[in-house]
Amino acid sequence: MLYPLFDKDCDLVAWIAPNDHIFDTDMNWVAYIRNGHAWSSGSGNWLGPVNGLLCLNQSGQPVAWNPKESVAGTSRPSRPSRASRASRPSRPSRPSRPSRPSRPSTPSGGWANESFFAWLGQ
């Protein structure tokens, strides 16, 4: 099942298959998730932790979120050892566009400075 991911401005930026993959809004595979961390599908670089439906940057600040998950930052996470590269998944069908959520409170430590798209480009 895919869940929508929103940025701090409540704009739809991606879809997440929990503990598995992240797809952009055009359903292109952009990241995979291993051991609670996101990795770029293109470069294999570590992007940051993923706590359920909450994507964090390498400093522990939220980059993308889903309303089913509370928005909170963490202390600076330790860099994990490189995960083995995931195989490209088949492209999923595009889900229906979700309704725009209410803006969450600013998390302690603030939002990530980089956009979701800059986060993917690390």
Side-chain angles (χ1 to χ4, degrees), residues 16-89:
I16 186 171
N19 301 312
D20 207 10
H21 300 285
I22 300 174
F23 300 90
D24 67 13
T25 56
D26 291 325
M27 304 318 291
N28 297 307
W29 179 50
V30 294
Y32 54 96
I33 303 166
R34 294 292 179 269
N35 301 318
H37 293 272
W39 304 84
S40 168
S41 62
S43 67
N45 290 340
W46 176 56
L47 301 175
V50 176
N51 296 334
L53 301 174
L54 178 65
C55 300
L56 305 167
N57 66 11
Q58 294 175 2
S59 297
Q61 297 169 307
V63 174
W65 62 285
N66 179 282
K68 294 181 185 274
E69 199 76 51
S70 62
V71 179
T74 64
S75 58
R76 188 174 201 77
S78 299
R79 180 181 283 280
S81 52
R82 188 174 282 275
S84 58
R85 245 184 180 0
S87 299
R88 178 180 293 277

